[in-house]
Amino acid sequence: INKSKEIWTETRKHFVKPLSSQLNHHLNEHYKSYLKHFNDDPNNQEIAKKQYRIDDNRNVSFDEDTAELSDHQDHRIYVHRQALDGLWIGFAWSTSNQALHVRINRIQIDNEHEFTLLPVVLHPIVSKASGTDIPGKPFIELSLFKTAQTRANIQHIKYLKLLIQEFDFCADQTLIMSILNFVKQEKAPGAPTINMDSDLKRIYKPLEAITNAQSNSLPTEPKIFFDNLHLSPLKLHVSFSMHGFGTD
């Protein structure tokens, strides 16, 4: 699990929010100009005061990895250039409510065999549909908000969202054989057995007593209701090679 690439973010109430893709692009272009001038003359104080125009209403000035955005009404916000953590988890709970937010920005699984044709097994890729890498967009994101009624044994999920970005899966014959050797059973399982003691005891009970006991007993399995469920379509590119090197 790795950090994301460096992007421009804004902090609001302890939450780090990436800026839009278009604004990130403009800031990066002006940031390159700022670094060039700063490296040429580090002691020039005018470089820190210089403002770069983003559009007709906004300007930006830089101070190392911090940028100040201002508009024609003199509204100012400060943004920072940083890499988002590889794994971020936010949660909150009370006696009846629970909220969970998980982000995995980038993940890569490598093939650890000494000789392999496909050294990377799984990694996210840039979507061909958009053609650009959206800044701050995590590879996997999960959001959940639910309420629970303990006495009624009911869970009410008001919001559940799971998003998985497009990714590649690559495997060769060596990796497949190693996985099969790892999961295969060493010994044949024994014959299955069935415990019929409870069924034999019911034979000696009257039918009315059995039906009354079942109708009066409360259900043990919880009931789950969804208000908003959003699961993203899974876009997977698979590459497989029949070539590989044998393993002992």
Side-chain angles (χ1 to χ4, degrees):
I1 298 178
N2 301 322
K3 289 187 175 183
S4 69
K5 65 180 183 180
E6 289 188 342
I7 59 175
W8 292 98
T9 62
E10 180 185 4
T11 302
R12 295 182 180 178
K13 296 181 180 180
H14 306 290
F15 289 98
V16 178
K17 180 182 179 181
L19 301 183
S20 65
S21 176
Q22 184 177 5
L23 186 54
N24 255 283
H25 174 72
H26 288 308
L27 291 180
N28 282 331
E29 292 299 320
H30 293 311
Y31 185 67
K32 292 177 183 178
S33 299
Y34 161 78
L35 287 180
K36 182 179 182 302
H37 293 114
F38 181 80
N39 292 331
D40 292 341
D41 190 2
N43 298 322
N44 190 347
Q45 298 297 325
E46 296 297 326
I47 296 177
K49 299 178 181 179
K50 183 178 180 180
Q51 290 191 342
Y52 302 85
R53 180 172 292 276
I54 300 176
D55 51 36
D56 294 338
N57 299 320
R58 291 179 296 180
N59 297 320
V60 61
S61 60
F62 297 96
D63 182 10
E64 295 184 354
D65 290 338
T66 301
E68 180 187 73
L69 280 73
S70 59
D71 59 14
H72 62 283
Q73 296 181 350
D74 203 28
H75 295 154
R76 301 176 184 273
I77 62 172
Y78 293 90
V79 296
H80 302 277
R81 182 178 173 85
Q82 61 180 341
L84 300 179
D85 292 333
L87 174 63
W88 180 89
I89 300 176
F91 57 90
W93 70 92
S94 64
T95 55
S96 59
N97 299 329
Q98 295 179 2
L100 176 66
H101 191 186
V102 179
R103 287 201 302 255
I104 299 178
N105 284 300
R106 180 175 176 83
I107 187 172
Q108 178 174 310
I109 301 177
D110 295 334
N111 190 340
E112 294 298 329
H113 285 95
E114 184 176 0
F115 302 102
T116 178
L117 299 176
L118 303 171
V120 179
V121 178
L122 185 146
H123 66 96
I125 62 175
V126 177
S127 175
K128 293 182 179 180
S130 61
T132 56
D133 189 7
I134 300 176
K137 193 171 186 179
F139 172 51
I140 299 176
E141 184 173 14
L142 171 67
S143 299
L144 171 67
F145 180 77
K146 71 174 184 177
T147 61
Q149 300 179 12
T150 307
R151 294 184 178 180
N153 204 15
I154 295 176
Q155 293 188 4
H156 187 187
I157 297 179
K158 295 186 176 181
Y159 181 80
L160 174 60
K161 181 182 74 171
L162 176 61
L163 300 177
I164 302 177
Q165 304 303 324
E166 197 169 347
F167 64 96
D168 260 344
F169 177 80
C170 306
D172 57 13
Q173 186 179 13
T174 302
L175 178 63
I176 299 299
M177 295 303 298
S178 298
I179 295 176
L180 293 177
N181 291 333
F182 178 77
V183 300
K184 73 177 183 180
Q185 296 180 349
E186 296 293 337
K187 297 181 180 180
T193 58
I194 301 176
N195 188 356
M196 300 183 62
D197 293 341
S198 59
D199 295 331
L200 294 175
K201 291 179 180 179
R202 290 188 177 186
I203 295 177
Y204 302 100
K205 291 183 178 180
L207 180 60
E208 183 178 359
I210 297 176
T211 55
N212 290 336
Q214 291 180 347
S215 60
N216 294 331
S217 62
L218 294 175
T220 57
E221 296 183 358
K223 295 181 179 180
I224 303 176
F225 298 94
F226 291 87
D227 280 354
N228 190 339
L229 177 62
H230 181 191
L231 303 177
S232 68
L234 190 62
K235 298 180 181 179
L236 170 63
H237 300 256
V238 178
S239 300
F240 177 72
S241 174
M242 290 297 295
H243 300 283
F245 299 91
T247 58
D248 295 334

